Amino acid sequence: MNWFILILAALFEIGWPIGFKMSNQYPEKFGLYITLGSLSMLLSGILFYFAQKCIPISTAYIVWTGLGAIGTFIIGLFFFGDTLSISRMFFALLILIGIVGLEVVSK
């Protein structure tokens, strides 16, 4: 259950940079997107708090931020026109390998 909470926290971790990006792209809805991004940040932090009670903090933090980074990377590629290159994909894959590796060795 704690791993589920941690993954949910990571999904909300993706929400705040997306909210901030959207507030920049749509200044007429600045307040809405900043509010949603801030709410996402708050929920991410609260869920992380509960998850790290039973998962080692070093593992929990890396998984939380790593999945948030990978998710934001993927959304940036598909929805914001971020550049896709072999080197960017390689380094994103290294982050993912590190996350999986930490989860495997923490059991």
Side-chain angles (χ1 to χ4, degrees):
M1 182 65 169
N2 293 306
W3 281 99
F4 174 76
I5 292 171
L6 183 59
I7 291 169
L8 192 57
L11 291 175
F12 280 107
E13 184 72 4
I14 296 167
W16 71 264
I18 301 304
F20 291 1
K21 178 69 173 177
M22 296 294 289
S23 72
N24 187 43
Q25 287 194 326
Y26 301 100
E28 67 278 3
K29 294 185 179 180
F30 176 83
L32 171 67
Y33 290 124
I34 287 294
T35 300
L36 290 174
S38 298
L39 181 60
S40 183
M41 186 186 300
L42 176 65
L43 289 171
S44 177
I46 290 169
L47 291 168
F48 177 73
Y49 166 78
F50 288 112
Q52 59 82 36
K53 284 184 170 188
C54 296
I55 299 171
I57 188 68
S58 56
T59 301
Y61 186 73
I62 290 172
V63 169
W64 180 51
T65 57
L67 289 178
I70 293 293
T72 304
F73 173 77
I74 291 168
I75 288 173
L77 292 174
F78 285 102
F79 296 103
F80 296 107
D82 290 358
T83 312
L84 178 62
S85 67
I86 296 296
S87 58
R88 292 188 82 216
M89 290 297 290
F90 172 73
F91 289 114
L93 181 62
L94 285 179
I95 293 170
L96 189 57
I97 290 169
I99 292 167
V100 171
L102 278 172
E103 196 275 331
V104 167
V105 299
S106 71
K107 290 186 175 182

